[in-house]
């Protein structure tokens, strides 16, 4: 059974940094992808990044390029999302999601992912 466990998140002032972690279990090979999505109140869930664990390649949504950085540790089956230079508009619940195979169509849509973490709140104050 695939499970995703998130950690990190919290309250930070604008310009600050946070790091989120997503640990995956239940995958029997490295041929899977882990994505980060976020959902702000009253808005649709938005894809932030996708990492193909087989080769470590990462795609980002344009709004976070240069501010957010994904790294991965295959030995720990963990993906980290480093959030720097945070803005109030980054406030959202952040979810990690996973699916077998590499990232497709950059990040893809939320319905393409079968496995989800519990979500973690990121709040950026102005």
């Amino acid at each position: 059974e695939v499970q995703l466990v998130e950690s990190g998140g919290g309250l930070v002032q604008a310009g600050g940094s946070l790091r989120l972690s997503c640990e995956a279990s239940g995958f029997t090979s490295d041929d899977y992808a882990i994505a980060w999505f976020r959902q702000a109140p009253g808005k649709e869930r938005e894809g932030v990044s996708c990492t193909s664990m087989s080769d470590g390649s990462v795609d980002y949504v344009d709004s976070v390029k240069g501010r957010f950085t994904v790294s991965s540790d295959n030995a720990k089956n963990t993906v980290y999302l480093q959030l720097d230079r945070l803005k109030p508009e980054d406030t959202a619940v952040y979810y990690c999601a996973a699916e077998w195979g590499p990232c497709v169509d950059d990040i893809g849509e939320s319905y393409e992912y079968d496995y989800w973490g519990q979500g973690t709140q990121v709040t950026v104050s102005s």
Side-chain angles (χ1 to χ4, degrees):
E1 179 185 4
V2 173
Q3 291 186 327
L4 302 175
V5 178
E6 300 177 30
S7 59
L11 172 64
V12 65
Q13 289 187 332
S17 298
L18 286 171
R19 190 175 84 154
L20 310 181
S21 300
C22 176
E23 180 178 2
S25 61
F27 285 102
T28 55
S29 74
D30 287 341
D31 188 19
Y32 64 98
I34 289 186
W36 288 97
F37 285 79
R38 64 184 180 183
Q39 188 164 19
K43 294 188 177 182
E44 292 189 357
R45 195 165 293 189
E46 174 192 34
V48 174
S49 68
C50 184
T51 301
S52 296
M53 298 299 282
S54 59
D55 63 6
S57 58
V58 184
D59 294 300
Y60 298 93
V61 68
D62 286 346
S63 60
V64 307
K65 286 180 179 178
R67 299 190 301 119
F68 292 4
T69 305
V70 171
S71 59
S72 57
D73 185 338
N74 282 50
K76 296 181 179 180
N77 295 323
T78 299
V79 170
Y80 306 95
L81 179 64
Q82 178 69 36
L83 297 78
D84 295 319
R85 294 190 285 145
L86 281 161
K87 304 175 182 180
E89 51 264 43
D90 294 318
T91 294
V93 177
Y94 283 69
Y95 299 89
C96 66
E99 184 53 276
W100 288 101
C103 299
V104 178
D105 296 329
D106 296 335
I107 300 169
E109 301 296 330
S110 59
Y111 65 80
E112 297 178 69
Y113 293 85
D114 286 338
Y115 310 105
W116 289 83
Q118 76 278 13
T120 185
Q121 177 70 46
V122 171
T123 303
V124 184
S125 62
S126 57

